């Protein structure tokens, strides 16, 4: 953990990091490919809708001694879809529902069931059954979904900005598409559990994205006031800074779901558990992926089309180029000090990076009050340290000031 | 602990904020333990220690309803009407959407309603089977229910005589009023018949002179209706035109004269019906309401009231129930009527209602009464004293809270297009065996164990706070769900069980957001106590924003959708709200308290907050004091 913690710290300070934003084309490509596969899956294989949605056949058996498990097996084998088996009353009569309306299939199932129950086929009462999750429920659900999406985009546009709202929406649609596609490809039956799973993802995917955006907003709030980093760089830094958190939240959310899917559904006997857990698993994984790899890079892309941001980015790059020439001295300076301190290249790294981060961070939020509390002990410690090692402080300080082109702070 | 620093450098505002942010951790913790203890105690006290399970997990009762063919209307039993009936029944039994009842068609004429175990079966069966055909009909006459046959008749006759007086009224022009009163209810009825006769030849049959009630002039609809009774189909269309004109009176009298004997039969019909009506016995009322329910809207009917104390002869439906656009059960404190049901009409309904009440208001007792008829039974028959515009009405009288809510619920969701009878009622077993639930719970347990293990490895001491919070969250969720079962019929199906398990994992996310914030602050070189307080406002905002999004999803889905989606939305909203409650009232205060312990504030290696392990900058203090002093400048 110490190494992990250390990694967390370094990520936080931007010393190490994956350049998510710069490599966005790769992520986009990956997502587009998966999405196309998903569409292809739905288009070619179609979704296998359960009896709850489409209705199907219902067989009512006379009293029998055959167990519901047997009946379920027989019915599922003959019909190829999940069977809902219930006993009716106390004498062992059963009601068996399977999806699939075509009579041929239904007749086969009926014959197989009659056979298993050891009765005449005619004695097995067969009827068509309507959906218990009818079109009305479905229509209302779509309606609710649409209203929610509109509201949430409006909300995010207000709380953040419209580009983030749009990116969050795209990420969400991305997650849902992938999940539905996986269902089509795997061929699992779509049951109410699946839909509930999808709706859970809806909330979770947005939750994840919102957490990432919250960090992003904070990092970039006053980014025009600094000229060291482009928007994309800041976005990337914010991503890396919250990476540990993102990974942890995803792991923690995925662990129970994987348990449901692999242990509950796989080892302990599938059925509906599988339907629910699969949609949750795929959706949560896609959600974690998209909030990092898709949502933030998208925001950065949208942003770079904003003239203000574009101008700022150009300025930063120009300055950076200029500093390349002049900057040697400063770099040398930095190098000196770090050698002074403990000769680790990591530290010089930090000297370069940290200020930028802090810059964004500090400028961004006004509530520094609490930090002040932190000061006394630290300051005291600092003073103590100064007492003993005072002399060293000067050069460092000077060096840091120089390394900062804005020159405004510290 | 805030005070010393305040004196050091904070402005008043800052110190205020500081104290607020730190809150009074003791109080918050006391509050939430009170809540938890209260809920758990309530759960045990109520005896419902397990959440009610949905039909997929616990089985329940299956009611098969068969559509009853009505004479001459066999075509009504078709898939469209069946589906309409399904969705109406669905909403009735699933009022809040959380009870997990299932409604589906079976075959050509049946509807199956599955209700999870533990539901109030009686009530559900009542709701399911009620047609809820609602109509507003003007009262023609009313009588005390008690004396069935003879007693009923005699009065009627006499009244009619009384009606004879009326002629005078006619002349006066506003005859109707008094005549009706004097006569007694029955009397009024007859007159009406005749009246109708005026215009249409057919009506002539009715013999009484009294008719002349002329009354008609004043109000067309009500009186005209009577005639309908005798000659249902044809008349109906014409009626509207009738009454209005003055002429009728003249013709009418003629007609009356002519017909004499013949007329007897026709009028005898409704009259006799009313006389014959026996509202004193259960069976009689049932019979009456069935007959009345089957009557066409444009036929007059005779009905009983719910208590069986009064019987009514009623005109055709003036405002049909489908014009009711919404209904609510309300407790009327102002007029002390107890529970009443308020209804709103659609715009066309509002117009009809205004028109008919305007007419009725000019009538005399009892013809100024307006009966509200539900499934062939007169729920109430208030008198009308003025035109009622505004598009709303209320039903009062003898409701309990439950019955008022039931009625409002039924009115709200409309009448069934078909009449059903219970073909069979039987218990059904769960569609998913025990093993599914057990597998789900075991897997959920393992999953949570993994989460805990992961947190312990990664967050060490902090994980204890997370685990404690999870326990609180789980206790709250469980006890609430157990209590909501009996309270609002909340039932858990397998997806909801999974959802709850996952939701607990998602709750853990909030803790992680907060912990990471604290660690970031520690990395910036702050000591723990300030880090805890400083991390909070930012973590809080993040948590609130993202929980708000989840809650928005829950709220929208709950309001818009029906059935199982609504049930899901409820669960989502509940767990989201609990997340906020737990983080605010438990995790944060606990963190504040524990930050004072040496174990955490000292950055013990096992606390999960060891600055060294976090790579915090204070670490540099030892080697390199520089960054620290630089801090103050930036603030």
């Amino acid at each position: 953990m110490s190494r992990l913690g250390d990694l967390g710290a370094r990520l936080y300070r931007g010393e190490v990091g994956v350049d998510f934003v710069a490599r966005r084309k790769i992520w986009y490509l990956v997502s587009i490919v998966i999405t196309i596969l998903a569409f292809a899956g739905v288009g070619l294989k179609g979704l296998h809708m359960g009896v709850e949605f489409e209705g199907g056949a219902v067989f009512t058996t006379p009293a029998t001694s055959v167990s519901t498990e047997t009946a379920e097996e027989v019915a599922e084998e003959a019909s190829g879809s999940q069977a809902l088996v219930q006993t009716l009353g106390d004498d062992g009569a059963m009601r068996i529902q399977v999806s699939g309306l075509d009579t041929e299939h239904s007749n086969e199932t009926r014959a197989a069931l009659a056979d298993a129950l050891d009765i005449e086929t005619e004695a097995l009462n067969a009827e068509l059954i309507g959906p218990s999750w009818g079109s009305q429920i479905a229509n209302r659900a779509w309606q609710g979904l649409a209203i929610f999406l509109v509201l949430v985009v409006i909300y995010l546009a207000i709380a953040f900005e419209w580009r983030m709202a749009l990116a969050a929406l795209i990420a969400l649609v991305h997650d849902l598409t992938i999940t539905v596609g996986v269902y089509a490809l795997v061929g699992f039956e779509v049951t109410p559990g699946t839909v509930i799973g999808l709706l859970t993802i809806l909330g979770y995917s947005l939750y994840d994205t919102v957490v990432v955006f919250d960090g992003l907003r904070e990092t970039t709030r006053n980014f025009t006031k600094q000229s060291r980093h482009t928007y994309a760089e800041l976005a990337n830094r914010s991503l890396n800074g919250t990476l540990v958190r993102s990974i942890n939240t995803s792991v923690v959310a995925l662990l129970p779901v994987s348990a449901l899917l692999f242990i509950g559904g796989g080892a302990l006997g599938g059925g509906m558990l599988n339907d629910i857990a699969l949609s949750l698993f795929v959706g949560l994984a896609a959600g974690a992926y998209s909030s990092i790899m898709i949502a933030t890079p998208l925001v950065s892309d949208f942003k770079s089309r904003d003239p203000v941001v574009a101008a700022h980015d150009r300025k930063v790059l120009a300055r950076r180029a200029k500093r390349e020439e002049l900057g040697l001295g400063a770099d040398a300076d930095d190098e000196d000090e770090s050698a002074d301190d403990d000769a680790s290249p990591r530290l010089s790294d930090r000297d370069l990076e940290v200020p930028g981060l802090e810059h964004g961070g500090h400028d961004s939020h006004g509530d520094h009050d609490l930090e002040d509390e932190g000061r006394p002990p630290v300051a005291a410690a600092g003073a103590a340290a100064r007492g003993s090692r005072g002399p060293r402080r000067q050069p460092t300080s000077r060096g840091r000031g120089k390394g900062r082109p804005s020159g405004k702070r510290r | 602990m805030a005070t010393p620093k305040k004196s050091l450098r904070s402005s008043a505002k800052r110190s205020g904020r500081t104290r607020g942010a730190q809150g009074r951790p003791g109080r918050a913790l006391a509050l939430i333990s009170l809540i938890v203890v209260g809920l758990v105690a309530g759960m045990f006290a109520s005896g419902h220690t397990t959440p009610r399970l949905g039909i997929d997990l616990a089985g329940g009762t299956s009611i098969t309803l068969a559509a009853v063919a009505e004479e001459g209307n066999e075509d009504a039993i078709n898939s469209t009407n069946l589906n309409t009936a399904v969705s109406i029944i669905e909403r009735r039994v699933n009022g809040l959407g959380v009870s997990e009842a299932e409604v589906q068609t079976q075959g050509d004429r049946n509807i199956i309603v599955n209700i999870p175990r533990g539901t109030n079966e009686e009530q559900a069966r009542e709701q399911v089977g009620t047609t809820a055909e609602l109509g507003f009909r003007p009262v023609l006459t009313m009588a005390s229910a008690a004396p069935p046959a003879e007693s009923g008749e005699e009065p009627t006759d006499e009244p009619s005589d009384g009606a004879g007086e009326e002629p005078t009224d006619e002349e006066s022009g506003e005859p109707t009023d008094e005549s009706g009163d004097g006569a007694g209810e029955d009397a009024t009825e007859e007159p009406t018949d005749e009246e109708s006769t005026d215009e249409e030849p057919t009506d002539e049959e009715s013999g009484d002179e009294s008719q002349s009630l002329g009354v008609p002039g004043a109000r067309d609809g009500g009186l005209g209706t009577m005639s309908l009774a005798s000659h249902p189909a044809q008349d109906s269309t014409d009626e509207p035109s009738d009454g209005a004109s003055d002429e009728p009176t003249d013709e009418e009298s003629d007609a009356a004269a002519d017909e004499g004997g013949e007329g007897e039969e026709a009028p005898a019909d409704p009259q006799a019906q009313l006389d014959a009506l026996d509202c004193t016995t259960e069976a009689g009322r049932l019979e009456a309401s069935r007959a009345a329910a089957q009557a066409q809207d444009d036929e007059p009917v005779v009905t009983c009231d719910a208590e069986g104390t009064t019987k009514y002869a009623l005109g055709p439906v003036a405002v049909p129930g489908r014009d009711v656009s919404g209904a609510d059960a309300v407790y009327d404190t102002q007029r002390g009527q107890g529970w009443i049901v308020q209804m709103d009409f659609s715009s066309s309904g509002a117009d009809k209602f205004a028109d008919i009440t305007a007419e009725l208001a000019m009538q005399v007792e009892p013809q100024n009464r307006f009966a509200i008829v539900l499934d062939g039974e007169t729920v109430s028959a208030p008198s009308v004293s003025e035109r009622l515009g505004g598009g709303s009405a209320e039903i009062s009288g003898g409701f309990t809270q439950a019955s008022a809510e039931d009625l409002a619920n039924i009115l709200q969701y409309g009448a069934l297009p078909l009449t059903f009878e219970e073909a069979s009622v039987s218990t059904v077993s769960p569609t998913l065996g025990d093993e599914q639930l057990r597998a789900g719970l075991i897997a959920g347990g393992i999953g949570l164990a993994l989460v805990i293990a992961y947190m312990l490895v990664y967050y060490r001491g902090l994980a204890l706070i997370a685990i404690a919070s999870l326990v609180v969250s789980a206790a709250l969720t469980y006890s609430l769900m157990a209590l909501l079962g009996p309270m609002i019929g909340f039932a858990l199906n397998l997806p909801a069980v999974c959802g709850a398990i996952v939701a607990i994992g998602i709750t853990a996310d909030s803790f992680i957001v907060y912990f990471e914030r604290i660690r970031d602050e520690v990395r910036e070189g702050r000591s723990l106590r300030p880090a805890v307080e400083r991390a909070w406002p930012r973590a809080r905002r993040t948590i609130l924003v993202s929980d708000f999004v989840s809650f928005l999803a829950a709220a929208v889905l709950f309001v818009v959708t029906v059935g199982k989606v609504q049930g899901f939305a409820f669960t989502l909203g509940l767990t989201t709200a609990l997340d906020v409650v737990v983080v605010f009232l438990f995790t944060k205060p606990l963190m504040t308290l524990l930050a004072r312990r040496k174990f955490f504030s000292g950055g013990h290696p096992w606390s999960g907050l060891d600055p060294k392990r976090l790579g915090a900058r204070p670490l540099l203090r030892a080697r390199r004091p520089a960054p620290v002093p630089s801090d103050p400048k930036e603030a």
Side-chain angles (χ1 to χ4, degrees):
Chain A
M1 117 114 197
S2 82
R3 194 162 299 161
L4 265 180
D6 194 35
L7 183 66
R10 295 174 62 186
L11 280 169
Y12 175 68
R13 289 195 292 259
E15 292 160 13
V16 294
V18 183
D19 204 344
F20 294 109
V21 176
R23 290 187 208 145
R24 58 184 179 275
K25 295 265 160 51
I26 301 178
W27 319 130
Y28 292 169
L29 191 68
V30 169
S31 285
I32 289 172
V33 169
I34 298 179
T35 310
I36 290 175
L37 278 179
F39 272 111
V42 176
L44 297 179
K45 291 191 70 176
L47 287 170
H48 185 178
M49 302 301 276
V51 63
E52 294 91 343
F53 297 101
E54 297 202 320
V58 58
F59 305 101
T60 316
T61 72
T64 166
S65 56
V66 175
S67 73
T68 52
E69 285 81 11
T70 322
E72 191 174 339
E73 260 173 46
V74 173
E76 288 186 354
E77 203 163 300
S79 66
S81 42
Q82 273 181 36
L84 296 178
V85 181
Q86 293 170 303
T87 58
L88 280 178
D90 303 325
D91 56 1
M94 280 186 274
R95 176 194 286 166
I96 303 165
Q97 301 176 44
V98 289
S99 66
L101 288 163
D102 53 310
T103 34
E104 195 178 320
H105 232 106
S106 153
N107 284 342
E108 262 174 44
T109 314
R110 188 181 179 191
L113 273 174
D115 201 38
L117 297 173
D118 202 20
I119 54 173
E120 292 291 312
T121 310
E122 283 69 33
L124 186 62
N125 178 23
E127 273 186 295
L128 291 185
I129 194 164
S132 60
W133 182 300
S135 55
Q136 203 206 0
I137 301 185
N139 289 342
R140 294 294 206 100
W142 284 117
Q143 204 180 326
L145 193 61
I147 294 177
F148 165 67
L149 288 180
V150 170
L151 286 182
V152 87
V153 165
I154 293 174
Y155 171 71
L156 290 180
I158 294 170
F160 296 104
E161 57 172 308
W162 67 265
R163 295 181 186 85
M164 291 191 184
L166 188 59
L169 184 64
I170 293 175
L172 177 62
V173 172
H174 165 270
D175 301 342
L176 294 179
T177 319
I178 289 182
T179 313
V180 173
V182 167
Y183 257 82
L185 291 174
V186 175
F188 275 16
E189 194 166 319
V190 178
T191 62
T194 315
V195 177
I196 299 298
L198 273 176
L199 290 174
T200 310
I201 294 167
L202 183 85
Y204 186 77
S205 164
L206 278 171
Y207 185 107
D208 220 27
T209 311
V210 165
V211 172
V212 171
F213 280 178
D214 203 49
L216 178 62
R217 175 179 62 169
E218 203 166 279
T219 312
T220 61
R221 185 176 287 166
N222 288 329
F223 82 104
T224 48
K225 296 204 183 124
Q226 55 85 43
S227 50
R228 187 177 254 271
H229 300 281
T230 62
Y231 187 91
E233 285 162 357
L234 285 178
N236 198 50
R237 162 128 351 123
S238 118
L239 261 188
N240 278 297
T242 51
L243 191 59
V244 172
R245 203 228 64 244
S246 297
I247 292 174
N248 280 349
T249 53
S250 303
V251 167
V252 163
L254 274 174
L255 279 176
V257 179
S258 337
L260 279 182
L261 180 61
F262 298 115
I263 302 172
L268 298 177
M272 193 175 232
L273 268 186
N274 267 333
D275 304 333
I276 305 166
L278 181 72
S279 68
L280 283 174
F281 186 82
V282 176
L284 292 186
Y289 168 84
S290 70
S291 60
I292 296 174
M293 311 291 205
I294 302 294
T296 309
L298 272 179
V299 172
S300 160
D301 261 352
F302 293 151
K303 271 286 197 182
S304 64
R305 285 182 177 74
D306 178 2
V308 178
V309 175
H312 178 261
D313 283 356
R314 270 198 302 280
K315 200 171 73 186
V316 169
L317 292 177
R319 283 205 186 206
R320 193 173 291 169
K322 204 157 91 192
R323 215 189 58 208
E324 295 269 293
E325 301 162 16
L326 308 177
L328 269 182
D331 272 355
D333 210 348
D334 267 356
E335 211 61 48
D336 273 350
E337 289 154 27
S338 37
D340 221 6
D341 281 353
D342 65 2
S344 116
R346 179 166 89 80
L347 281 178
S348 81
D349 240 351
R350 189 197 72 235
D351 273 347
L352 272 177
E353 301 283 72
V354 172
L357 179 73
E358 290 230 326
H359 207 131
H362 281 307
D363 285 344
S364 62
H365 36 75
D367 41 39
H368 269 233
D369 31 51
L370 289 168
E371 178 187 1
D372 303 331
E373 291 194 53
R375 195 83 355 96
V378 176
R386 223 176 291 143
S388 60
R389 326 180 85 199
R392 288 192 143 191
R393 195 183 145 238
Q394 284 298 43
T396 310
S397 202
R398 213 169 46 218
R400 288 171 68 81
K402 264 192 221 155
R404 185 182 293 271
S406 69
K408 271 180 16 194
R409 314 208 123 221
R410 298 194 187 185
Chain B
M1 65 170 272
T3 25
K5 278 132 214 172
K6 182 172 67 176
S7 61
L8 267 183
R9 51 195 324 268
S10 309
S11 71
K13 176 192 153 223
R14 280 175 174 177
S15 70
R17 176 102 75 91
T18 301
R19 194 175 287 155
Q22 276 202 231
R24 294 164 193 81
R27 262 191 223 183
L29 287 176
L31 177 61
I32 192 146
S33 27
L34 208 69
I35 295 175
V36 172
V37 169
L39 280 176
V40 173
M43 181 176 83
F44 281 107
S46 72
H48 300 276
T49 51
T50 50
R52 219 153 61 78
L53 295 177
I55 200 157
D56 56 344
L57 296 172
T61 306
S62 179
I63 303 168
T64 307
L65 297 173
V68 182
E70 286 173 25
E71 273 175 53
N73 208 6
E74 281 83 2
D75 293 346
I77 303 182
N78 53 36
S79 61
T80 316
N81 277 345
L82 270 186
N83 286 335
T84 311
V86 163
S87 55
I88 292 172
I89 293 178
E90 158 107 45
R91 278 176 291 170
R92 284 191 196 164
V93 293
N94 237 347
L96 268 176
V98 294
S99 64
E100 298 296 334
E102 292 172 349
V103 185
Q104 59 196 132
T105 60
Q106 175 174 327
D108 307 329
R109 59 192 313 122
N110 293 340
I111 289 180
I112 308 181
V113 183
N114 293 322
I115 303 165
R117 179 158 301 168
T119 312
N120 182 344
E121 198 182 304
E122 285 284 296
Q123 191 191 3
R125 281 167 70 176
E126 220 160 79
Q127 287 184 334
V128 162
T130 308
T131 312
E133 181 69 50
L134 176 80
F136 296 81
R137 292 170 180 261
V139 173
L140 300 173
T141 61
M142 49 196 268
S144 142
E150 317 82 35
S151 57
E153 285 188 347
E154 294 173 0
T156 49
D157 300 344
E158 299 163 1
S160 57
D161 304 342
E165 314 154 6
E166 299 166 7
T168 46
D169 303 335
E170 303 167 3
E171 300 141 18
S172 61
E174 278 261 77
T176 50
D177 324 352
E178 306 103 339
S179 66
D181 304 335
E185 302 117 15
D186 301 355
T188 48
E189 175 194 7
E190 294 183 354
T192 46
D193 305 352
E194 300 150 3
E195 164 206 340
S196 54
T197 48
D198 330 350
E199 300 192 349
E200 304 167 8
T202 49
D203 307 350
E204 307 164 40
E205 322 127 10
S206 60
D208 299 318
E209 352 67 51
S210 57
Q211 319 333 319
S212 30
L213 296 187
V215 177
R219 60 114 95 138
D220 334 312
L223 297 179
T225 58
M226 289 312 288
S227 62
L228 293 182
S230 15
H231 317 275
Q234 323 127 349
D235 304 78
S236 62
T237 44
D238 314 351
E239 299 174 12
S241 53
D242 327 3
S245 57
D246 306 348
E247 311 153 11
T249 42
D250 305 343
E251 303 173 0
E252 163 205 325
S253 54
D254 302 343
D258 303 341
E259 303 150 19
E262 299 177 1
E264 300 282 38
E265 302 173 15
D269 202 18
Q271 180 71 40
Q273 272 183 25
L274 186 68
D275 294 342
L277 191 61
D278 177 10
C279 290
T280 51
T281 64
E282 183 87 1
R285 285 205 297 274
L286 212 63
E287 179 74 14
S289 65
R290 184 164 301 165
Q294 302 240 342
Q296 298 296 312
D297 277 4
D298 47 16
E299 294 171 358
V301 294
V302 290
T303 66
C304 302
D305 69 355
E307 288 81 36
T309 54
T310 317
K311 52 189 182 179
Y312 303 85
L314 306 172
V317 173
V319 185
R322 57 179 171 278
D323 282 337
V324 173
S325 61
D328 264 322
V330 183
Y331 189 81
D332 178 37
T333 47
Q334 290 167 2
R335 281 163 296 166
Q337 294 177 320
W339 284 95
I340 59 174
V341 177
Q342 286 185 337
M343 293 168 294
D344 294 321
F345 293 109
S346 63
S347 61
S348 73
D351 292 345
K352 287 185 213 165
F353 191 70
D355 290 349
I356 187 73
T357 47
E359 283 172 23
L360 288 180
M362 301 166 66
Q363 302 300 308
V364 294
E365 179 81 21
Q367 292 175 0
N368 64 348
R369 286 179 177 272
F370 202 19
I372 299 163
V373 185
L374 182 71
D375 285 342
E377 194 176 81
T378 299
V379 181
S380 72
S383 56
V384 179
S385 53
E386 57 180 348
R387 177 179 182 278
L388 299 173
S392 65
E394 62 191 37
I395 310 176
S396 59
F399 286 116
T400 62
Q401 178 173 1
S403 65
E405 280 169 358
D406 279 356
L407 179 60
N409 184 23
I410 284 172
L411 290 182
Q412 175 117 24
Y413 298 136
L416 293 180
L418 298 167
T419 313
F420 290 92
E421 63 184 16
E422 272 180 18
S424 70
V425 179
S426 58
T427 57
V428 288
S429 68
T431 44
L432 301 171
D434 279 348
E435 78 280 356
Q436 288 269 336
L437 179 58
R438 209 177 313 121
L441 291 180
I442 292 174
I446 295 175
L448 284 183
L450 288 175
V451 167
I452 289 173
Y454 181 83
M455 301 268 279
L456 274 176
V457 168
Y458 195 85
Y459 288 110
R460 305 212 171 176
L462 278 184
L464 296 179
I465 297 174
I467 293 165
S469 307
L470 282 182
V471 169
V472 170
S473 171
L476 283 177
T477 311
Y478 185 89
S479 54
L480 265 183
M481 284 179 170
L483 282 174
L484 285 176
M487 277 169 58
I488 61 168
F490 179 80
L492 271 181
N493 54 9
L494 188 63
V497 172
C498 294
I501 291 172
V502 173
I504 289 180
I506 293 176
T507 304
D509 284 5
S510 310
F511 312 149
I512 292 178
V513 168
Y514 184 33
F515 293 163
E516 285 296 327
R517 270 293 184 197
I518 294 175
R519 287 180 150 199
D520 285 351
E521 298 299 332
V522 170
R523 281 174 188 138
E524 295 215 343
R526 293 186 181 85
S527 61
L528 186 62
R529 279 152 70 173
V532 164
E533 298 313 322
R534 195 170 137 66
W536 175 238
R538 297 202 237 161
R540 180 180 58 197
R541 195 193 51 205
T542 309
I543 292 169
L544 283 181
V545 169
S546 30
D547 272 342
F548 178 80
V549 171
S550 288
F551 202 80
L552 185 66
V556 170
L557 288 178
F558 187 79
V559 172
V560 175
T561 62
V562 292
K564 286 184 179 168
V565 182
Q566 205 179 19
F568 162 79
F570 185 85
T571 315
L572 179 66
L574 183 69
T575 51
T576 307
L578 285 180
D579 180 27
V580 174
V581 167
V582 169
V583 170
F584 273 68
L585 291 185
F586 187 79
T587 312
K588 165 63 177 56
L590 186 65
M591 191 70 226
T592 303
L593 279 186
L594 289 181
R596 299 175 186 170
R597 314 286 304 204
K598 188 143 185 314
F599 177 76
F600 284 101
S601 63
H604 189 281
W606 283 101
S607 68
L609 287 168
D610 180 4
K612 257 181 255 166
R613 286 175 188 276
L614 293 178
R617 266 200 269 144
L619 165 81
L620 304 172
R621 263 183 268 142
R623 301 189 222 158
R624 196 173 104 124
V628 174
S630 75
D631 269 351
K633 280 184 229 156
E634 90 189 53

